Amino acid sequence: MRTKKKTTNKKIAILMILLTLTQNCKQKNNTENINITELRKSMSIIYSFSNALIFTSYTFIKIYELLDICAIYENEKTNINCVFDFRQLKEAKTQGKCEKKSGKNFPIRLENCEIVLSAQNFYLELYGTVELSKFKVYYENLTAKIITPESYSGSIDISETFSEIFLIEYETIRYFKINATGNIGRNSIRASNYVVRDDGFNPIQIQFENSHIETNGCAKLNIEITSENFISFSKNSCPQNGIVLKDNKKITFLGGEIQYEDKVERCPEIPECPVVYF
């Protein structure tokens, strides 16, 4: 009997040691040092991807509003030919075709779209499938090909992404809730539970709410963060001002610098990652 008790006690002791080691490993992993260079570049990718997402969201929300005015239905195809103003673009022409059907998530589903949006010094091609309501867009899959002299020209892929205007202030400032997945060239992004503030003229601002961020390519990062308020950015995608929290530790963006513990890094003048700015 004593031998059995001793054996049992040894097993319990070993289990306790293993549990302690596992907890210590988890704590170390959760409080590991943050690579501020990768964080800064990751913020740049999120900023650029969000710019493309906000812009395409505006486009589809406008199309939704005007479907009965500037769309002709022929053999299940919707011929879109709309002209509208939004953001800095005046009289932006939107032309193309989609297959209009009932949506799975939202009222209208536009499949196999081929849309061109053009304006002065701007050209955008959209291919893929989305679902729409008045202020919501679900991107099942969408490829945006952008040509603009001011910033990035290339291909952006958006998939399984929700974008929703949930608040409008002073008729011009819009707040978007976003859960996003996609690629900018060779850079991938997956980000959840964050908010974008857009006034149509200045660079967008971003607020994280217990957000999970994963980027690969120009920046390799996989973290969960929260921001105390909105983070502002420069046109070249540098986080300018704001504070984010990781494991209750503050990372501060101030005047183009990122500060964490005893480390300080300044954002480079020439961007290292693709920059999408409208």
Side-chain angles (χ1 to χ4, degrees), residues 17 20 24 29-30 46 57 62 67 76 82 89 91 95 99 105 133 147 165 176 189 226 230 266:
I17 291 168
T20 304
N24 287 338
N29 287 334
N30 288 337
I46 293 169
S57 293
K62 283 288 185 181
L67 263 181
E76 294 189 354
C82 305
L89 297 183
E91 294 190 357
Q95 296 174 306
E99 296 173 19
N105 300 286
S133 72
I147 299 174
I165 297 177
F176 289 78
I189 177 172
T226 295
F230 282 92
R266 186 148 192 90

Side-chain angles (χ1 to χ4, degrees), residues 36-37 39-48 51 203-206 230-242 252-258 265-277:
I36 59 175
T37 301
L39 177 61
R40 173 181 55 73
K41 291 193 291 185
S42 187
M43 291 291 105
S44 177
I45 291 174
I46 293 169
Y47 167 83
S48 292
N51 266 319
I204 60 172
Q205 297 178 318
I206 297 175
F230 282 92
I231 299 168
S232 61
F233 290 79
S234 66
K235 285 186 179 181
N236 71 343
S237 79
C238 284
Q240 288 294 292
N241 294 288
T252 303
F253 302 107
L254 183 62
E257 284 186 350
I258 178 171
E265 181 178 297
R266 186 148 192 90
C267 210
E269 291 183 15
I270 300 174
E272 298 158 288
C273 303
V275 178
V276 178
Y277 175 74

Side-chain angles (χ1 to χ4, degrees), residues 89-153:
L89 297 183
K90 299 297 181 184
E91 294 190 357
K93 295 180 181 179
T94 304
Q95 296 174 306
K97 293 183 178 181
C98 298
E99 296 173 19
K100 182 187 172 190
K101 298 183 179 179
S102 297
K104 300 172 184 176
N105 300 286
F106 302 136
I108 293 177
R109 181 179 176 86
L110 299 178
E111 292 184 350
N112 302 316
C113 289
E114 296 180 4
I115 298 172
V116 172
L117 187 147
S118 58
Q120 187 176 2
N121 297 323
F122 185 84
Y123 183 83
L124 171 68
E125 295 179 0
L126 300 172
Y127 302 96
T129 297
V130 299
E131 293 190 5
L132 311 170
S133 72
K134 187 175 181 180
F135 292 119
K136 299 177 183 179
V137 182
Y138 170 66
Y139 297 79
E140 185 171 292
N141 61 76
L142 186 79
T143 297
K145 293 185 178 180
I146 300 172
I147 299 174
T148 171
E150 290 189 7
S151 65
Y152 173 79
S153 291

Side-chain angles (χ1 to χ4, degrees), residues 53-85:
L53 192 57
I54 296 305
F55 195 90
T56 54
S57 293
Y58 274 126
T59 301
F60 281 109
I61 287 169
K62 283 288 185 181
I63 288 173
Y64 180 89
E65 289 177 357
L66 299 170
L67 263 181
D68 294 331
I69 299 171
C70 53
I72 300 172
Y73 307 105
E74 295 177 356
N75 301 322
E76 294 189 354
K77 286 278 187 180
T78 301
N79 294 317
I80 298 166
N81 188 359
C82 305
V83 177
F84 46 76
D85 297 343

